[in-house]
Amino acid sequence: MAILMDGKATGAKVRARLAEKTVEFKEKYGYAPGLAVIIVGDDPASKVYVRNKKKACEEVGYNSFEYALPAETTEEELLDLIAKLNADNSVHGILVQSPVPKHIDEKKIQLNILPEKDVDAFHPVNVGKIMIGDYDFVPCTPAGITELLDEYGIETSGKSCVVIGRSNIVGKPMAMLMLHKNCTVTICHSRTPDVGAVTREADIVIAAVGKADFLKGDMIKDGAVVIDVGMNRNAEGKLCGDANFEECEKKASYITPVPGGVGPMTITMLMKNTLKSAELFANKD
């Protein structure tokens, strides 16, 4: 039976440490780190995420700036707001909640956030830094996964890691982080002919494909570590991951549950990136 990797408990521990560091930061510099979150439109899931981010800011002692814009906001108006936040020294992190309305070019928005305030780590400058292993920020979900692996003392050096999924938000940066942690990394995707043949050889399997119950128990070897990034609804409408939990739990050594595994770590890592951004700002020449 696998050991459950508790993202709620680990996230709470990390946020407690961040709260302590924030007190020290305020004493040293006289101000708190600030995170600006912009939401365009009325997407219900996005509203929940924004609310959770605001709550996390309060927990760790940051200033939270929320901008709720109507769906008809033009791209130019959004870019003007980002320019103002780029120039605002009380704002250290800027995040535009996805998805944005279709008339707004998301890539253009990402490019206009200053790399040093890009706490989502989506700007090409930050992506390039991750590639060469000299980075300040990491996308929050991959960062949360590495934090969980460290918390549970899971050895990565020399291990075989398979990442299922090649998105810019999770799959690709996750693969690079595991490479930096000295894993031998394989990425599987929609054109991989036999995913199971690859995953059965892996010590660590990270499923980020967005398909309920995609990773079956017969697709992992005994003792594998299973990290489930998926947030799906099954036929009964129940929240579930990319892995078939019942099957994989019997064979894995460690596994993340859904919910309560990777999810709670994501916002925690956003808080960590924001403090890092504030520290870089405070110490720049």
Side-chain angles (χ1 to χ4, degrees), residues 67-85:
Y67 298 87
L69 308 179
E72 59 271 18
T73 299
T74 66
E75 185 176 273
E76 190 179 356
E77 287 170 332
L78 180 54
L79 290 171
D80 283 346
L81 173 58
I82 288 169
K84 286 174 188 168
L85 296 173

Side-chain angles (χ1 to χ4, degrees), residues 8-278:
K8 277 189 180 177
T10 304
K13 264 191 214 177
V14 176
R15 291 193 302 277
R17 291 198 292 266
L18 288 173
E20 289 173 11
K21 287 182 180 177
T22 303
V23 170
E24 293 169 12
F25 182 91
K26 286 180 185 174
E27 287 173 355
K28 188 171 182 180
Y29 300 108
Y31 57 89
L35 175 66
V37 178
I38 304 169
I39 180 171
V40 185
D42 296 310
D43 182 73
S46 292
K47 285 184 168 180
V48 172
Y49 290 139
V50 169
R51 203 159 51 239
N52 288 342
K53 284 162 186 169
K54 188 176 182 181
K55 193 174 164 187
C57 281
E58 288 169 2
E59 186 182 345
V60 296
Y62 299 171
N63 291 325
S64 174
F65 307 99
E66 187 183 326
Y67 298 87
L69 308 179
E72 59 271 18
T73 299
T74 66
E75 185 176 273
E76 190 179 356
E77 287 170 332
L78 180 54
L79 290 171
D80 283 346
L81 173 58
I82 288 169
K84 286 174 188 168
L85 296 173
N86 279 337
D88 187 341
N89 288 343
S90 66
V91 173
H92 306 103
I94 301 170
L95 183 150
V96 179
Q97 184 67 47
S98 292
V100 293
K102 287 179 181 173
H103 65 274
I104 293 173
D105 183 345
E106 198 154 355
K107 282 186 183 174
K108 197 171 181 183
I109 299 308
Q110 288 171 5
L111 283 169
N112 277 271
I113 296 172
L114 284 175
E116 58 267 33
K117 294 194 179 190
D118 167 41
V119 286
D120 258 339
F122 293 160
H123 193 287
V125 167
N126 288 325
V127 174
K129 285 183 169 186
I130 293 165
M131 283 292 294
I132 62 172
D134 181 21
Y135 47 84
D136 297 313
F137 312 118
V138 176
C140 299
T141 299
I145 290 167
T146 57
E147 193 87 28
L148 269 175
L149 291 170
D150 291 344
E151 174 69 23
Y152 282 84
I154 292 167
E155 182 59 61
T156 56
S157 186
K159 301 296 182 182
S160 165
C161 174
V162 172
V163 179
I164 311 172
R166 53 178 167 177
S167 73
N168 292 330
I169 295 171
V170 181
K172 290 177 191 172
M174 190 74 249
M176 289 311 304
L177 288 186
M178 296 308 284
L179 195 59
H180 295 321
K181 287 175 79 65
N182 298 316
C183 280
T184 299
V185 181
T186 304
I187 302 176
C188 291
H189 46 77
S190 59
R191 297 292 185 274
T192 304
D194 186 350
V195 174
V198 184
T199 55
R200 276 189 286 273
E201 300 297 317
D203 301 306
I204 301 167
V205 180
I206 301 171
V209 72
K211 290 184 180 177
D213 290 343
F214 178 85
L215 185 71
K216 309 292 187 188
D218 63 4
M219 293 170 70
I220 63 168
K221 70 178 182 182
D222 288 334
V225 175
V226 176
I227 306 291
D228 192 345
V229 184
M231 288 286 278
N232 314 296
R233 296 277 174 188
N234 63 15
E236 292 78 46
K238 185 184 172 188
L239 193 65
C240 64
D242 289 349
N244 183 304
F245 185 81
E246 288 74 21
E247 292 179 12
C248 290
E249 186 193 17
K250 290 171 187 169
K251 291 180 75 177
S253 56
Y254 291 85
I255 191 169
T256 58
V258 176
V262 173
M265 296 301 298
T266 300
I267 288 178
T268 300
M269 293 302 104
L270 176 65
M271 298 299 109
K272 194 171 183 178
N273 281 350
T274 302
L275 179 60
K276 175 75 172 176
S277 178

